[in-house]
Amino acid sequence: MKLTIPEEEIMGHGHLACQGCGGALAMRYTLKTLGRNTVLSVPACCWSVIDGPFPHSAVNIPVFHTAFEAAASTASGIKAGFEIQGKDVNVVAWAGDGGTYDIGIQALSGAAERNDDILYICYDNEAYMNTGVQRSGSTPLKAWTTTTPVAHPKDRPKKDLISIMAAHRMPYIATASVAYPEDLTEKLEKAKSIKGTRFLLIFSPCPPGWRADPKNTVKLARLAVETKVFNLLEIENGLDWRITKKIRKPKPVIEYLKLQGRFRHLTEDDVSLIQENVEKEWNILMNKVGE
Amino acid sequence: MRKVMIGNHALSYGAKISRAQVIPAYPITPQTEVVELLSEMCANGEMDAKFIKVESEHSAMTASIGASATGARVFTATSAQGLALMHEVLHWAVGARTPIVMGNINRAMAPPWTIWTEQTDSLAQRDTGWMQLYAQNSQEVLDSVIQAYKVAEAVQIPAMVILAAFVLSHTSEAVELPEQGKVDEFLPPYEPEYRIDPANPHAFGGLTGPDGYFELRYQIQKAIEDALPKWDEVGAEFGEVFGRKYGLIETYKVEDAKNLIISSATLASTARTAVDTLREKGEKVGLLRIRIFRPFPSAQIRSILSSVDRAVVVDRNISFGASGIFYQEVKAAVYNEKNPPPIFGVIAGIGGRDVTKKDIIDIYEDIMRMDEPKSDIIWKGVRL
Amino acid sequence: MPEKTEKQIVFDKVKDTPPLAVSLYTMDYNKTGSWRNVRPVIDYEKCTGCMTCWKFCPEPAIDAEKYEEDGKEKYKPVIDYEYCKGCGICWVECPVEGAIYTEEEGE
Ligand code: SF4
Ligand code: SF4
């Protein structure tokens, strides 16, 4: 049988990610596809720890650790530095959801508006996991975190970052999931071939932060797609929306929710509310896709 | 070649002639002309450089750090609120050992909104590890950018070239533009020991615990200490090549001086004319201008203070709850001496209020009437 | 290229320390196999070589061993127990009943 994703391992083992880390899987796929002529600008996020302590590093390509809000701007600087020296390198901003949806959105928006030639990848685990599970703009409705305790779970839906990015009319935006590595590597290949700012959101479950069994990381990522909680899509030039993984018979959200301790407190009403929200978001998305 | 230009454009030409390669910058009054000219020169091909029109000063600095880490020569410029917004990543530039050169136009901090000059914005960054140079005229601004790259790249520590808002930033003066060929010889291309390079991959700035951090910080201190003699060496070499010599400090009529006025930047220029007038009146007075504030030239200052009876430091800045900042540092430099002279501290010119030659003469005459400093601040010019 | 080391490197003195925090070594010294409570085991009698387990291992701790059979290139998954953290993803994702089973660590 053939391998369905690139064979070469660039990311090394021995890294400090938790068991079953979706963010580690996302990095592994990304490096496999982008290859060694790649540089990462990494703001404060799980990966600032996962990569290992000075003077060690797990990824075997250059990593530039930068300030929390500065993944995109640092990447823009790195790209300009290479360009003026005549070097053609894939420059990637590699940030978590806190560094993307929240504190880093200004620099990201600036880079996208200028259309700087960088690939921005957010590995989205839906909370500030590195600091111990605090809510971010990406945390979903009704989820528990340490700052949205069970008595007061998150009262706002996950920020629709993809629409914000689409509003920049940037050349390429995609969502991907660690459960669909072939789709992910295809999107990375495409992103790599395009000039300008490209944005990729990789859905990356976090077993400790989601209070989930590490063995279920890929299963959860798949269920998120099968329940339409997280949709796999591509947007070209901010206007041309396309679903890349069509779900014929979506599963009820409870199948996804019940495997996660962060949703253990949900009442039946809560589950219905989440289901309604999923339908509503799906309809909004369908309008954009034009189906 | 001589060219009439404002202080801001002296910064731009300094960056151009130093062959800066990446310029991420954000506009702020009174720095705007610096980046306007640079963006134009990048766009029309006069400079072989990339200008990044970032969306904030924070991004200006982080883009500068990223570009510098690839081995490119980087310039940026800012002022006041912009510099304060950069604060977090000024530390980053030092820890990452990226020898960026930045122009800062000294402007007072808000609120209330103001755009006039004061040094508190840059002096509030004194513990970040950036080198700081306070220039007194446009020629020195331009010459200092070139020297700053030479020192910064030698010790891998970034440097700020600082000038007063409006008094210098918007004042036109004739400036000698050094020959490009000579500058290229004086300042060869930047070649760092470590750079971001896929062919030779490193992680930069990874998690470091108590077993490693201390030695890295120690090396920053050693590097900035190494820069002390470097500024004098580079300033002297600059003098040999271009005919204008510079050093850590500048002295005026100190040889036989009994009393000393100490100041910086354009205040020092005003103080120089005051010294002339006071000399005519028979006063044995001299001037010490502190050009490089970080690293602080303590030994040079001590040696001059050892032969005077009293000194007054005129500060256009304030550390609230303490005193003028140059004053603190000068006092600290001589504290362990056998018989240090009394040192008076004056705060003047806050928020761009004029400091005239007469003001400096008054300050001098006032302190000559006093027996000893009674407090850390003598206010000059505030309407009490 | 970064070097492999047997132990975590801590520089003894300033003179040995680089001027900035640059990595010079890999993370291979960190034998994450010690984190494991449960050990996945591949039953090669049942394994079809589909490589799904290899694909989804986040470490990576499953090598794709290439071999030839009937003139065809094939792969065989080999778990590297020095680094396998025992997350169980390979076991959940393996499409063949019983091709990966788990043992309590230390059994
Ligand atoms: S997933 Fe199962 S069947 Fe496929 S290669 Fe791995 S062990 Fe064999
Ligand atoms: S248990 Fe987890 S770490 Fe171990 S081989 Fe399987 S997927 Fe990899």
Side-chain angles (χ1 to χ4, degrees), chain B residues 149-267:
Chain B
Y149 276 113
K150 187 143 174 151
V151 177
E153 289 171 7
V155 298
Q156 301 267 288
I157 296 283
M160 264 181 232
V161 175
I162 300 159
L163 46 150
F166 301 109
V167 191
L168 183 48
S169 68
H170 288 71
T171 303
S172 291
E173 294 173 33
V175 172
E176 181 71 33
L177 271 179
E179 251 176 69
Q180 184 68 61
K182 279 194 190 167
V183 175
D184 291 345
E185 234 171 85
F186 181 81
L187 180 66
Y190 173 45
E191 288 295 344
E193 184 184 355
Y194 293 100
R195 63 168 88 202
I196 307 176
D197 178 7
N200 191 8
H202 302 288
F204 295 79
L207 191 67
T208 303
D211 56 1
Y213 189 87
F214 208 164
E215 285 69 24
L216 292 166
R217 259 28 200 180
Y218 174 88
Q219 291 188 84
I220 292 171
Q221 172 64 16
K222 286 293 142 191
I224 195 163
E225 282 174 12
D226 288 348
L228 264 175
K230 262 263 167 298
W231 279 107
D232 269 338
E233 276 163 40
V234 166
E237 189 193 338
F238 192 91
E240 279 161 31
V241 180
F242 301 101
R244 293 179 297 278
K245 188 171 176 290
Y246 296 90
L248 290 158
I249 57 170
E250 187 196 354
T251 55
Y252 185 63
K253 300 194 176 165
V254 296
E255 288 70 24
D256 62 338
K258 287 242 167 311
N259 306 306
L260 200 62
I261 300 171
I262 302 175
S263 198
S264 63
T266 48
L267 275 191

Side-chain angles (χ1 to χ4, degrees), chain A residues 242-259:
Chain A
R242 185 166 60 249
I243 304 284
T244 60
K245 176 79 195 161
K246 296 215 165 89
I247 305 299
R248 305 232 175 273
K249 278 201 196 129
K251 293 182 174 162
V253 286
I254 188 68
E255 306 243 326
Y256 168 67
L257 302 174
K258 71 181 182 198
L259 292 175

Side-chain angles (χ1 to χ4, degrees), chain B residues 31-52:
Chain B
Q31 155 267 36
T32 328
E33 294 77 9
V34 184
V35 298
E36 279 174 350
L37 180 58
L38 283 168
S39 82
E40 191 187 318
M41 291 194 292
C42 290
N44 70 16
E46 256 181 87
M47 286 179 77
D48 184 19
K50 294 247 163 217
F51 192 98
I52 313 178

Side-chain angles (χ1 to χ4, degrees), chain B residues 96-97 202-205 211 216 219, chain C residues 1 10 14 17-23:
Chain B
R97 306 296 295 271
H202 302 288
F204 295 79
D211 56 1
L216 292 166
Q219 291 188 84
Chain C
M1 276 297 154
V10 174
V14 167
T17 312
L20 63 161
V22 283
S23 71

Side-chain angles (χ1 to χ4, degrees), chain A residues 14 17 19 28 56 182 222, chain C residues 9 24 26 30 55 85 93:
Chain A
Q19 291 170 318
R28 181 175 167 237
H56 295 270
E182 294 81 5
R222 190 179 300 114
Chain C
I9 302 293
L24 303 165
T26 67
N30 189 32
K55 191 167 71 178
K85 288 176 185 165
E93 294 303 319

Side-chain angles (χ1 to χ4, degrees), chain B residues 131-134 228 231 247-249 289-297 301 326:
Chain B
M131 298 192 281
Q132 295 198 359
L133 183 157
Y134 289 82
L228 264 175
W231 279 107
L248 290 158
I249 57 170
R289 172 169 79 97
I290 299 173
R291 177 170 175 253
I292 309 291
F293 173 77
R294 278 290 181 273
F296 196 70
I301 289 169
F326 279 89

Side-chain angles (χ1 to χ4, degrees), chain A residues 46-57:
Chain A
C46 290
W47 262 99
S48 6
V49 174
I50 297 175
D51 190 38
F54 161 71
H56 295 270
S57 167

